[in-house]
């Protein structure tokens, strides 16, 4: 009788110990992840601009100076203009990129043509090379087209790059049963009608996902805008912030925080919609 | 509201796999056709080819008299119900049903806002195609919903409905289009058993109400038997038998159909048949069971199986054998059965037994027997009882081909004969043989195909009976006590009639010699070429392409129907690289000054018809001719009557 009780007690302590250790590890890891963000947020509230006036890790004085000068001092560093540039480029890339990605994914999923398998393999292979490798080529091509120092050049590159990641969308389209296409076709729908009236309404979560990824990539990209944009007025936030001097670290931090806020808000709103969409748009299996 | 015609339909995939092999069928209006067969037999593929969702590799499909091979599904005026319903999940039920109607345009005259017709310059009404307006749409959808009893669900979405209701919506979506043909692809497979039986009768009721042609695919033979007016049994892409449920049950043409239709499955045994005088002894293998029956009951059996040496499959259904003591006492066809176990079904008992006394009745060997008995009867295990067979319901099949050797319409009449001096004597009648048949003297066997019997001639016969078997009339004749079967196209009255023979179809076996019938198909290998010729078309000189069949160096112009089908089956350019076999009957040739060169080897005189046997390269041809012909002749076949077979994939194109 006692032996059984001892066994139960032992199991209980074991469980508690497990939970405790797990939580400890999680807290440590979370701290490691979160600390840089925390530090950046604190740095953005520092009163003096430079990083050298910090008291050890953290700023010595706190104030809203950095945020104020971000928006008011637009002579050298025109932050609001950069913000609007970034917004424009991201929204346009999002629109065109989503359109191209969805169409590519639909074709790869629904149509059978001779070079389909070859194309899929080629895309997969090419996608393995880092995009950085192509920057010189991109620069030369853009020079030929006179698209250097123009925002539409950037939008063109981002929209064209987006469909390389069509795999996820294609996978989603594959889960929509082909018999819906067939039933619609027998009812008299053309390919385009099937796409617009049936596939798109059923893929709302995937549309949101595609739009989100096509939006965030141009939003925070640095290499391409740095290479293609020359005028300070056309800079995106990423390039603009890097052009700040060494002494302006607080402003840099403030700019980084500010640019991240819209993305965070967007994610929070749309994630709920994506999850709801996936459960509600149930298709008969 | 239309009939269908499927001629030589093939479905071959690029890797060479044949999903559907030479499907031929005529479907009349208002029929309920069921395609049934095990998984992978090609029934769904055939249905999808009819719908237009799969491309037809070769063959011709006609709906309502129009060839629809290349037509889009929406133009074929068909409606389809899918196995997984395929309802549009994001639309309400009303929208689901209405979608097909929204896509349509109906002819009407142009009207203005108040509904008055708008006239053109000459004061005539203008014909336009317009969409359905809201009232018409609602009326149609509500009508369909009422027929199926789903009116109260019209505002719901598919995910809020049960399986049976969803299936009804799918049916509603199909019937609202008022199609010519309704296609159903295993619609009841996803439903539970009780709902399935209910929906089955609803679909049959729907068919009676709509009076449209229904084509239904299923793997469940019970559904096929209860619903269809005619059933197509398929296996591995081949059609095994097409017939009414009653005929499939009573007269299966091969072992597959016999075993597929009917529960419990037919009992099959291996055995031999030996004809002894006017009796036949049926000896069961792996068992001591032996039954002796009068020959008159097995008269249509192909005689080569009655010599006792060939093993055959013997089949009889569970209800055609009985353990009832009274019936057994009066029967002459008894076999001992060792009882193994019973299955109680309520209305009846299935008794499992073995005709092999050492067997255990469980294994599916050729000695297990299932017998239907009255409900709740007790049987002791391991007890040996006597079972009586109903010989009228016995089925016999060849052990290799599995075809029935007890056909309803026998292929040949097998008669003993004697030949002497160019005359042949059989059944007490002496007939002069035509010069074409060089028969040696002696006695032997004469095989007369049932189609070779003519209803005019020198032989007197008595008509005993006429059987209408699927449209053909099988006439049983008595000639001097012997039996002769003949095919007729109309029913004959009992009494005396005159009989003659079509000599070119006879087979005569005397000693080691065998006189073969004249072949009815002449085949030549050849290719297909295209040549451009300058011709005057509408006043201009153009290069018009002309298509020819190239046989042995001779070009034969191909008419449009022929070359269009060849292009369709070989997908375009490949037709010039493919080898074909062209076939004609002996009646399709004319002898002329130029054409395919042939060497005459002999002239065959069959009395009322004369044929020439000639060689073209390696092939031997038989051509009808007027009189005596010698030497080299030039044959001109009728290109419109050609039958084309693509040699590589063995597909009959025309």
């Amino acid at each position: 009788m006692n032996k059984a009780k001892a066994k139960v007690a032992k199991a209980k302590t074991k469980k508690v110990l497990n939970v405790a250790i797990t939580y400890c590890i999680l807290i440590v890891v979370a701290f490691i992840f979160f600390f840089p963000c925390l530090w950046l947020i604190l740095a953005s509230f520092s009163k003096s601009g430079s990083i050298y006036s910090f008291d050890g890790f953290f700023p010595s004085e706190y104030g809203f100076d950095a945020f104020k000068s971000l928006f008011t001092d637009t002579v050298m560093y025109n932050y609001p203009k950069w913000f609007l540039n970034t917004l424009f480029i991201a929204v346009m890339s999002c629109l065109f990129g989503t359109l191209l990605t969805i169409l590519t994914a639909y074709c790869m999923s629904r149509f059978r043509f001779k070079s389909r398998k070859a194309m899929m393999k080629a895309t997969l292979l090419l996608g393995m090379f880092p995009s950085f490798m192509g920057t010189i080529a991109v620069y030369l091509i853009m020079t030929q087209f006179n698209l250097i120092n123009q925002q539409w050049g950037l939008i063109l590159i981002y929209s064209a790059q987006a469909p390389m990641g069509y795999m996820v969308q294609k996978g989603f389209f594959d889960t929509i049963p082909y018999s819906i296409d067939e039933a619609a076709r027998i009812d008299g729908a053309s390919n385009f009608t099937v796409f617009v009236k049936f596939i798109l309404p059923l893929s709302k979560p995937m549309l949101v996902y595609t739009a989100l990824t096509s939006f965030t990539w141009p939003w925070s990209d640095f290499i391409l805008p740095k290479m293609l944009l020359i005028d300070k007025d056309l800079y995106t936030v990423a390039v603009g912030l890097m052009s700040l001097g060494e002494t302006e670290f607080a402003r840099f931090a403030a700019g980084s925080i500010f640019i991240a806020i819209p993305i965070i808000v967007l994610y929070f709103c749309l994630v709920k919609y994506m999850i709801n969409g996936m459960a509600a748009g149930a298709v008969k299996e | 509201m239309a009939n269908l015609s499927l001629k030589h339909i093939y479905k071959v995939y690029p890797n060479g796999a044949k999903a559907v092999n030479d499907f031929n069928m005529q479907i009349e209006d208002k029929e309920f056709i069921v395609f049934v067969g095990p998984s992978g037999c090609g029934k769904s593929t055939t249905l999808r080819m009819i719908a237009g969702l799969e491309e037809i590799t070769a063959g011709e499909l006609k709906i309502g008299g129009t060839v629809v091979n290349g037509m889009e599904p929406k133009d074929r005026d068909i409606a389809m119900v899918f196995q997984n319903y395929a309802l549009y999940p994001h639309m309400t039920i009303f929208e689901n049903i209405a979608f097909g109607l929204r896509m349509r345009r109906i002819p009407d005259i142009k009207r203005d806002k108040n509904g008055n017709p708008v006239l053109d310059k000459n004061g005539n009404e203008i014909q336009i195609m317009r969409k359905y307006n809201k009232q018409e749409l609602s009326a149609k959808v509500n009508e369909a919903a009422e027929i199926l009893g789903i009116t109260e669900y019209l505002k719901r979405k598919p995910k809020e409905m049960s399986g049976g209701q969803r299936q009804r919506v799918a049916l509603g979506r199909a019937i609202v289009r008022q199609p010519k043909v309704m296609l159903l692809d295993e619609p009841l497979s996803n439903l539970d058993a009780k709902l399935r039986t209910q929906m089955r009768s609803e679909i049959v009721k729907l068919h009676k109400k709509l009076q449209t042609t229904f084509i239904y695919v299923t793997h469940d033979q019970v559904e096929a038997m209860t619903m269809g007016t005619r059933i197509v049994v398929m296996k591995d892409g081949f059609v095994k038998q097409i017939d009414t449920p009653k005929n499939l049950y009573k007269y299966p043409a091969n072992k597959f159909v016999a075993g597929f239709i009917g529960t419990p499955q037919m009992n099959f045994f291996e055995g031999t048949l030996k004809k002894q005088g006017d009796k036949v002894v049926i000896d069961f293998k792996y068992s001591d069971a032996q039954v002796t029956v009068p020959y008159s009951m097995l008269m249509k059996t192909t005689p080569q199986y009655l010599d006792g040496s060939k093993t055959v499959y013997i089949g009889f259904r569970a209800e055609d054998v009985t353990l009832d003591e009274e019936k057994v006492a009066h029967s002459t066809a008894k076999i001992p059965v060792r009882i193994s176990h019973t299955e109680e079904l309520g209305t009846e008992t299935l008794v499992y037994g073995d005709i092999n006394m050492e067997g255990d009745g469980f294994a599916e060997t050729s000695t297990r027997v299932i017998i239907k008995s009255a409900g709740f009867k007790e049987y002791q295990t391991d007890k040996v009882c006597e079972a009586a067979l109903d010989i009228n319901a016995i089925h016999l099949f060849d052990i290799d081909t599995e075809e029935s050797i007890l056909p309803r319409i026998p292929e040949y009449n097998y008669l003993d004969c004697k030949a002497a001096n160019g005359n042949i004597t059989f059944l007490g009648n002496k007939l002069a043989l035509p010069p074409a048949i060089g028969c040696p003297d002696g006695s032997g066997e004469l095989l007369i195909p049932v189609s070779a019997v003519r209803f005019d001639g020198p032989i007197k016969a008595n008509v005993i009976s006429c059987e209408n078997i699927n449209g053909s009339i099988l006439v049983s004749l008595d000639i001097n006590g012997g039996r002769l079967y003949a095919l007729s196209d109309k029913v004959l009255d009992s009494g005396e009639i005159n009989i003659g023979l079509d000599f070119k179809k006879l087979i005569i076996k005397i000693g080691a010699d065998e006189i073969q019938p004249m072949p009815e198909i002449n085949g030549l290998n050849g290719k297909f070429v295209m040549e451009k010729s300058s011709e005057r078309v509408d006043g201009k000189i153009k290069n018009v392409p002309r298509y020819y069949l190239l046989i042995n160096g001779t070009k034969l112009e191909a008419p449009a129907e022929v070359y269009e089908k060849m292009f369709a089956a070989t997908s375009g350019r490949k037709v010039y690289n493919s080898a074909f076999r062209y076939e004609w009957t002996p009646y399709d040739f004319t002898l002329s000054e130029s054409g395919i060169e042939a060497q005459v080897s002999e002239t065959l005189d069959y009395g009322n018809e004369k044929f020439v046997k000639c060689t073209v390269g390696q092939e031997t041809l038989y051509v009808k001719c007027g009189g005596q012909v010698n030497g080299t002749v030039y044959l001109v076949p009728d290109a419109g009557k050609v039958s084309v077979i693509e040699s590589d994939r063995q597909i009959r194109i025309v």
Side-chain angles (χ1 to χ4, degrees), chain A residues 177 179-180 182-189 193 197-198 201-202 280 282-284, chain B residues 48 53 74 78 80 82 84-90 99-100 103 159 166 173 177:
Chain A
S179 46
I180 294 192
E182 288 174 353
R185 226 172 277 275
I186 289 181
D187 271 342
T193 319
K197 289 223 166 125
F198 296 99
L202 289 174
V283 178
K284 160 79 183 146
Chain B
R48 289 164 64 87
L53 299 169
K74 62 177 189 275
I78 48 111
M80 189 151 168
F82 293 86
N84 61 355
Y85 325 136
L87 299 179
Y88 311 130
H90 57 292
F99 183 73
M103 289 284 118
K159 65 180 189 287
R166 286 185 202 171
R173 183 174 63 178
R177 308 182 65 222

Short mmCIF file of all heavy atoms in Angstrom, two decimals, chain A residues 177 179-180 182-189 193 197-198 201-202 280 282-284, chain B residues 48 53 74 78 80 82 84-90 99-100 103 159 166 173 177:
data_model
loop_
_atom_site.label_atom_id
_atom_site.label_comp_id
_atom_site.label_asym_id
_atom_site.label_seq_id
_atom_site.Cartn_x
_atom_site.Cartn_y
_atom_site.Cartn_z
N PRO A 177 -10.28 20.41 -54.21
CA PRO A 177 -10.50 19.23 -55.06
C PRO A 177 -10.74 19.64 -56.51
O PRO A 177 -11.40 20.62 -56.79
CB PRO A 177 -11.77 18.60 -54.48
CG PRO A 177 -12.05 19.28 -53.23
CD PRO A 177 -11.30 20.54 -53.17
N SER A 179 -12.52 18.23 -58.55
CA SER A 179 -13.89 18.00 -59.01
C SER A 179 -14.71 19.30 -58.99
O SER A 179 -15.67 19.42 -59.74
CB SER A 179 -14.58 16.93 -58.16
OG SER A 179 -14.36 17.16 -56.81
N ILE A 180 -14.30 20.28 -58.17
CA ILE A 180 -15.01 21.56 -58.20
C ILE A 180 -14.77 22.24 -59.54
O ILE A 180 -15.69 22.79 -60.15
CB ILE A 180 -14.56 22.46 -57.01
CG1 ILE A 180 -14.99 21.82 -55.72
CG2 ILE A 180 -15.11 23.85 -57.17
CD1 ILE A 180 -14.87 22.71 -54.53
N GLU A 182 -14.12 20.72 -62.30
CA GLU A 182 -14.85 19.97 -63.32
C GLU A 182 -16.32 20.30 -63.29
O GLU A 182 -16.96 20.49 -64.33
CB GLU A 182 -14.65 18.47 -63.10
CG GLU A 182 -13.25 18.02 -63.45
CD GLU A 182 -13.01 16.58 -63.10
OE1 GLU A 182 -13.89 15.97 -62.47
OE2 GLU A 182 -11.94 16.08 -63.47
N ALA A 183 -16.90 20.37 -62.09
CA ALA A 183 -18.32 20.69 -61.98
C ALA A 183 -18.59 22.07 -62.57
O ALA A 183 -19.56 22.27 -63.29
CB ALA A 183 -18.76 20.62 -60.52
N ALA A 184 -17.68 23.02 -62.28
CA ALA A 184 -17.86 24.37 -62.82
C ALA A 184 -17.74 24.37 -64.33
O ALA A 184 -18.47 25.07 -65.02
CB ALA A 184 -16.83 25.31 -62.20
N ARG A 185 -16.81 23.57 -64.83
CA ARG A 185 -16.60 23.52 -66.28
C ARG A 185 -17.81 22.94 -66.98
O ARG A 185 -18.22 23.40 -68.04
CB ARG A 185 -15.38 22.64 -66.59
CG ARG A 185 -14.44 23.23 -67.58
CD ARG A 185 -13.20 22.38 -67.65
NE ARG A 185 -12.27 22.72 -66.59
CZ ARG A 185 -11.39 23.70 -66.68
NH1 ARG A 185 -11.33 24.42 -67.76
NH2 ARG A 185 -10.59 23.95 -65.69
N ILE A 186 -18.41 21.91 -66.36
CA ILE A 186 -19.63 21.34 -66.94
C ILE A 186 -20.75 22.35 -66.89
O ILE A 186 -21.59 22.42 -67.78
CB ILE A 186 -20.01 20.04 -66.20
CG1 ILE A 186 -19.01 18.95 -66.53
CG2 ILE A 186 -21.40 19.59 -66.58
CD1 ILE A 186 -19.31 17.65 -65.88
N ASP A 187 -20.76 23.19 -65.85
CA ASP A 187 -21.79 24.23 -65.76
C ASP A 187 -21.57 25.34 -66.75
O ASP A 187 -22.42 26.20 -66.90
CB ASP A 187 -21.79 24.81 -64.33
CG ASP A 187 -22.71 24.03 -63.42
OD1 ASP A 187 -23.56 23.30 -63.94
OD2 ASP A 187 -22.59 24.16 -62.19
N GLY A 188 -20.41 25.35 -67.39
CA GLY A 188 -20.20 26.33 -68.45
C GLY A 188 -19.19 27.41 -68.13
O GLY A 188 -19.09 28.39 -68.83
N ALA A 189 -18.39 27.23 -67.07
CA ALA A 189 -17.43 28.28 -66.71
C ALA A 189 -16.16 28.12 -67.53
O ALA A 189 -15.71 27.02 -67.77
CB ALA A 189 -17.10 28.18 -65.22
N THR A 193 -13.25 32.23 -65.35
CA THR A 193 -14.38 32.25 -64.41
C THR A 193 -14.13 31.30 -63.25
O THR A 193 -14.40 31.62 -62.10
CB THR A 193 -15.67 31.83 -65.13
OG1 THR A 193 -15.70 32.44 -66.40
CG2 THR A 193 -16.90 32.21 -64.34
N LYS A 197 -14.19 32.98 -59.71
CA LYS A 197 -15.39 32.75 -58.92
C LYS A 197 -15.23 31.62 -57.91
O LYS A 197 -16.00 31.52 -56.98
CB LYS A 197 -16.56 32.44 -59.85
CG LYS A 197 -17.04 33.61 -60.63
CD LYS A 197 -18.56 33.67 -60.66
CE LYS A 197 -18.99 35.02 -61.15
NZ LYS A 197 -19.86 34.98 -62.29
N PHE A 198 -14.30 30.69 -58.16
CA PHE A 198 -14.22 29.54 -57.29
C PHE A 198 -12.92 29.44 -56.53
O PHE A 198 -12.91 29.28 -55.32
CB PHE A 198 -14.43 28.25 -58.09
CG PHE A 198 -15.78 28.17 -58.69
CD1 PHE A 198 -15.99 28.51 -60.00
CD2 PHE A 198 -16.86 27.81 -57.91
CE1 PHE A 198 -17.25 28.47 -60.54
CE2 PHE A 198 -18.12 27.77 -58.44
CZ PHE A 198 -18.31 28.11 -59.76
N PRO A 201 -12.16 32.79 -54.06
CA PRO A 201 -12.91 32.88 -52.81
C PRO A 201 -12.52 31.81 -51.81
O PRO A 201 -12.58 32.01 -50.60
CB PRO A 201 -14.37 32.72 -53.25
CG PRO A 201 -14.39 33.10 -54.66
CD PRO A 201 -13.07 32.72 -55.22
N LEU A 202 -12.11 30.65 -52.31
CA LEU A 202 -11.74 29.58 -51.39
C LEU A 202 -10.33 29.74 -50.86
O LEU A 202 -9.93 29.03 -49.95
CB LEU A 202 -11.85 28.23 -52.10
CG LEU A 202 -13.25 27.75 -52.40
CD1 LEU A 202 -13.20 26.49 -53.22
CD2 LEU A 202 -13.99 27.49 -51.12
N ALA A 280 -12.94 28.20 -41.62
CA ALA A 280 -14.29 28.42 -42.11
C ALA A 280 -14.46 27.95 -43.55
O ALA A 280 -15.50 27.43 -43.91
CB ALA A 280 -14.64 29.90 -42.03
N ALA A 282 -14.11 25.50 -45.22
CA ALA A 282 -13.90 24.05 -45.29
C ALA A 282 -14.47 23.47 -46.58
O ALA A 282 -15.55 23.83 -47.01
CB ALA A 282 -14.55 23.38 -44.08
N VAL A 283 -13.71 22.61 -47.19
CA VAL A 283 -14.16 21.95 -48.40
C VAL A 283 -14.45 20.50 -48.06
O VAL A 283 -13.77 19.90 -47.27
CB VAL A 283 -13.04 22.03 -49.47
CG1 VAL A 283 -13.45 21.32 -50.71
CG2 VAL A 283 -12.72 23.48 -49.74
N LYS A 284 -15.48 19.95 -48.69
CA LYS A 284 -15.87 18.56 -48.41
C LYS A 284 -14.77 17.59 -48.81
O LYS A 284 -14.29 17.59 -49.92
CB LYS A 284 -17.15 18.25 -49.18
CG LYS A 284 -17.42 16.79 -49.38
CD LYS A 284 -18.01 16.15 -48.15
CE LYS A 284 -18.18 14.66 -48.39
NZ LYS A 284 -17.98 13.87 -47.24
N ARG B 48 -16.24 9.83 -67.89
CA ARG B 48 -15.60 11.13 -68.03
C ARG B 48 -15.34 11.46 -69.49
O ARG B 48 -15.35 12.62 -69.89
CB ARG B 48 -14.32 11.18 -67.22
CG ARG B 48 -14.60 11.21 -65.72
CD ARG B 48 -13.36 10.88 -64.94
NE ARG B 48 -12.35 11.89 -65.15
CZ ARG B 48 -12.25 12.99 -64.44
NH1 ARG B 48 -13.11 13.22 -63.48
NH2 ARG B 48 -11.31 13.86 -64.69
N LEU B 53 -14.53 15.43 -69.90
CA LEU B 53 -13.46 15.77 -68.96
C LEU B 53 -12.18 15.03 -69.28
O LEU B 53 -11.13 15.35 -68.76
CB LEU B 53 -13.90 15.44 -67.52
CG LEU B 53 -15.13 16.19 -67.06
CD1 LEU B 53 -15.63 15.62 -65.76
CD2 LEU B 53 -14.84 17.66 -66.90
N LYS B 74 -19.53 21.94 -71.63
CA LYS B 74 -20.71 22.76 -71.50
C LYS B 74 -21.55 22.78 -72.77
O LYS B 74 -22.74 23.05 -72.73
CB LYS B 74 -20.33 24.19 -71.11
CG LYS B 74 -19.47 24.92 -72.13
CD LYS B 74 -19.24 26.34 -71.64
CE LYS B 74 -18.58 27.19 -72.67
NZ LYS B 74 -17.14 27.12 -72.71
N ILE B 78 -24.83 18.04 -71.12
CA ILE B 78 -24.88 16.95 -70.16
C ILE B 78 -24.78 17.55 -68.77
O ILE B 78 -24.39 18.70 -68.61
CB ILE B 78 -23.71 15.95 -70.37
CG1 ILE B 78 -22.39 16.69 -70.50
CG2 ILE B 78 -23.94 15.10 -71.58
CD1 ILE B 78 -21.47 16.51 -69.36
N MET B 80 -23.49 16.35 -64.67
CA MET B 80 -22.77 15.29 -63.96
C MET B 80 -22.90 15.43 -62.46
O MET B 80 -22.87 16.55 -61.93
CB MET B 80 -21.29 15.36 -64.36
CG MET B 80 -20.49 14.19 -63.87
SD MET B 80 -19.13 13.89 -65.00
CE MET B 80 -18.18 12.75 -64.04
N PHE B 82 -21.02 14.15 -59.06
CA PHE B 82 -19.74 13.56 -58.69
C PHE B 82 -19.84 12.73 -57.42
O PHE B 82 -20.75 12.88 -56.62
CB PHE B 82 -18.70 14.65 -58.48
CG PHE B 82 -18.34 15.37 -59.73
CD1 PHE B 82 -19.10 16.45 -60.18
CD2 PHE B 82 -17.25 14.98 -60.48
CE1 PHE B 82 -18.78 17.12 -61.33
CE2 PHE B 82 -16.92 15.65 -61.63
CZ PHE B 82 -17.68 16.72 -62.06
N ASN B 84 -17.85 12.90 -54.79
CA ASN B 84 -17.69 13.71 -53.59
C ASN B 84 -18.51 15.00 -53.68
O ASN B 84 -18.14 15.99 -53.10
CB ASN B 84 -16.22 14.01 -53.37
CG ASN B 84 -15.63 14.79 -54.55
OD1 ASN B 84 -16.30 15.01 -55.53
ND2 ASN B 84 -14.39 15.20 -54.42
N TYR B 85 -19.61 14.93 -54.41
CA TYR B 85 -20.61 15.99 -54.57
C TYR B 85 -20.08 17.22 -55.29
O TYR B 85 -20.81 17.81 -56.06
CB TYR B 85 -21.23 16.42 -53.25
CG TYR B 85 -21.42 15.31 -52.25
CD1 TYR B 85 -21.09 15.48 -50.92
CD2 TYR B 85 -21.92 14.07 -52.62
CE1 TYR B 85 -21.26 14.46 -50.01
CE2 TYR B 85 -22.07 13.05 -51.71
CZ TYR B 85 -21.74 13.25 -50.40
OH TYR B 85 -21.87 12.25 -49.49
N ALA B 86 -18.84 17.65 -55.04
CA ALA B 86 -18.25 18.82 -55.70
C ALA B 86 -19.15 20.04 -55.64
O ALA B 86 -19.36 20.72 -56.62
CB ALA B 86 -17.90 18.49 -57.15
N LEU B 87 -19.72 20.30 -54.48
CA LEU B 87 -20.50 21.53 -54.31
C LEU B 87 -19.54 22.69 -54.09
O LEU B 87 -18.44 22.50 -53.61
CB LEU B 87 -21.43 21.41 -53.10
CG LEU B 87 -22.46 20.30 -53.16
CD1 LEU B 87 -23.28 20.29 -51.89
CD2 LEU B 87 -23.37 20.47 -54.36
N TYR B 88 -19.98 23.88 -54.47
CA TYR B 88 -19.12 25.06 -54.30
C TYR B 88 -19.23 25.52 -52.86
O TYR B 88 -20.28 26.02 -52.45
CB TYR B 88 -19.54 26.15 -55.28
CG TYR B 88 -19.71 25.66 -56.70
CD1 TYR B 88 -20.85 25.96 -57.41
CD2 TYR B 88 -18.73 24.90 -57.33
CE1 TYR B 88 -21.02 25.52 -58.70
CE2 TYR B 88 -18.90 24.45 -58.63
CZ TYR B 88 -20.04 24.77 -59.31
OH TYR B 88 -20.22 24.33 -60.59
N PRO B 89 -18.17 25.40 -52.07
CA PRO B 89 -18.33 25.57 -50.62
C PRO B 89 -18.65 26.99 -50.19
O PRO B 89 -19.27 27.18 -49.15
CB PRO B 89 -16.97 25.16 -50.06
CG PRO B 89 -16.14 24.74 -51.18
CD PRO B 89 -16.79 25.11 -52.45
N HIS B 90 -18.25 27.98 -50.96
CA HIS B 90 -18.42 29.34 -50.51
C HIS B 90 -19.74 29.95 -50.97
O HIS B 90 -20.02 31.09 -50.70
CB HIS B 90 -17.26 30.19 -51.00
CG HIS B 90 -17.13 30.15 -52.50
ND1 HIS B 90 -16.76 29.04 -53.19
CD2 HIS B 90 -17.34 31.11 -53.42
CE1 HIS B 90 -16.73 29.30 -54.47
NE2 HIS B 90 -17.09 30.56 -54.65
N PHE B 99 -25.87 28.35 -60.44
CA PHE B 99 -24.66 28.76 -61.17
C PHE B 99 -24.69 28.36 -62.64
O PHE B 99 -24.35 29.15 -63.51
CB PHE B 99 -23.42 28.18 -60.49
CG PHE B 99 -22.15 28.63 -61.14
CD1 PHE B 99 -21.71 29.92 -60.96
CD2 PHE B 99 -21.42 27.79 -61.96
CE1 PHE B 99 -20.55 30.36 -61.57
CE2 PHE B 99 -20.27 28.22 -62.58
CZ PHE B 99 -19.83 29.51 -62.38
N GLY B 100 -25.08 27.12 -62.90
CA GLY B 100 -25.11 26.66 -64.28
C GLY B 100 -26.05 27.49 -65.13
O GLY B 100 -25.78 27.78 -66.29
N MET B 103 -24.65 30.88 -66.19
CA MET B 103 -23.66 30.85 -67.26
C MET B 103 -24.33 30.76 -68.62
O MET B 103 -23.68 30.90 -69.64
CB MET B 103 -22.76 29.63 -67.09
CG MET B 103 -21.81 29.71 -65.95
SD MET B 103 -20.43 30.78 -66.31
CE MET B 103 -20.66 32.01 -65.07
N LYS B 159 -21.49 23.29 -46.02
CA LYS B 159 -20.89 22.67 -44.85
C LYS B 159 -21.90 22.51 -43.72
O LYS B 159 -21.64 21.84 -42.74
CB LYS B 159 -19.70 23.49 -44.37
CG LYS B 159 -20.05 24.87 -43.86
CD LYS B 159 -18.79 25.57 -43.41
CE LYS B 159 -19.06 26.85 -42.69
NZ LYS B 159 -19.52 27.93 -43.54
N ARG B 166 -26.48 16.93 -49.13
CA ARG B 166 -25.53 17.44 -50.11
C ARG B 166 -25.67 16.71 -51.43
O ARG B 166 -25.58 17.30 -52.51
CB ARG B 166 -24.10 17.28 -49.61
CG ARG B 166 -23.74 18.24 -48.53
CD ARG B 166 -22.29 18.11 -48.17
NE ARG B 166 -22.05 18.62 -46.84
CZ ARG B 166 -20.91 18.48 -46.19
NH1 ARG B 166 -19.93 17.82 -46.75
NH2 ARG B 166 -20.77 18.98 -45.00
N ARG B 173 -28.51 20.40 -58.79
CA ARG B 173 -27.69 21.19 -59.69
C ARG B 173 -27.66 20.57 -61.08
O ARG B 173 -27.60 21.27 -62.08
CB ARG B 173 -26.27 21.27 -59.12
CG ARG B 173 -25.34 22.13 -59.93
CD ARG B 173 -24.03 22.29 -59.24
NE ARG B 173 -23.32 21.04 -59.08
CZ ARG B 173 -22.11 20.95 -58.54
NH1 ARG B 173 -21.51 22.03 -58.12
NH2 ARG B 173 -21.53 19.79 -58.41
N ARG B 177 -30.50 21.94 -65.14
CA ARG B 177 -30.03 22.28 -66.48
C ARG B 177 -30.81 21.56 -67.56
O ARG B 177 -30.57 21.79 -68.73
CB ARG B 177 -28.56 21.92 -66.60
CG ARG B 177 -27.73 22.50 -65.47
CD ARG B 177 -26.29 22.18 -65.64
NE ARG B 177 -25.80 22.82 -66.84
CZ ARG B 177 -24.98 22.26 -67.71
NH1 ARG B 177 -24.57 21.04 -67.50
NH2 ARG B 177 -24.58 22.91 -68.76
#
